[in-house]
């Protein structure tokens, strides 16, 4: 279980990842914020698995635009092949 604002979660909510303090499972497990652009991240603030609205996921990074050859897809907030 992980704790966030005195609430216990089996998995942390969006925009947070589960961190075990000192690697001790079950003790002092906390939900820690992802990078502010990330909606989902795992085990660290970065890399991202999904982005918050207005940011687009490309190679595990959330940015405000997509590289050449990709287009910004608003429904998924990701960069997709043209």
């Amino acid at each position: 279980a992980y704790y966030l604002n005195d609430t216990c979660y089996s998995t942390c909510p969006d925009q947070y990842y589960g961190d075990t303090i000192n690697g001790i499972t079950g003790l002092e497990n906390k939900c820690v914020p992802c990078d502010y652009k990330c909606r989902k991240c795992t085990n660290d603030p970065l890399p991202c698995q999904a982005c918050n609205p207005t940011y687009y996921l490309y190679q595990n990074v959330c940015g405000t635009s997509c590289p050449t050859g990709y287009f910004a897809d608003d429904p998924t907030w990701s960069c997709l092949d043209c």
Side-chain angles (χ1 to χ4, degrees):
Y2 297 96
Y3 295 94
L4 176 65
N5 300 327
D6 296 325
T7 302
C8 186
Y9 295 90
S10 59
T11 58
C12 292
D14 281 0
Q15 300 178 329
Y16 291 88
Y17 68 96
D19 188 27
T20 54
I21 307 302
N22 298 324
I24 303 169
T25 304
L27 299 174
E28 297 299 320
N29 294 346
K30 297 182 180 179
C31 294
V32 180
C34 297
D35 179 79
Y36 71 96
K37 298 175 198 169
C38 294
R39 184 170 50 88
K40 292 187 182 291
C41 66
T42 306
N43 301 329
D44 269 309
L46 293 169
C48 301
Q49 283 79 44
C51 301
N52 283 320
T54 71
Y55 296 101
Y56 301 97
L57 185 67
Y58 177 73
Q59 296 183 347
N60 296 320
V61 176
C62 296
T64 54
S65 62
C66 294
T68 302
Y70 292 83
F71 71 94
D73 184 57
D74 286 353
T76 62
W77 298 111
S78 59
C79 296
L80 302 178
D81 281 323
C82 288

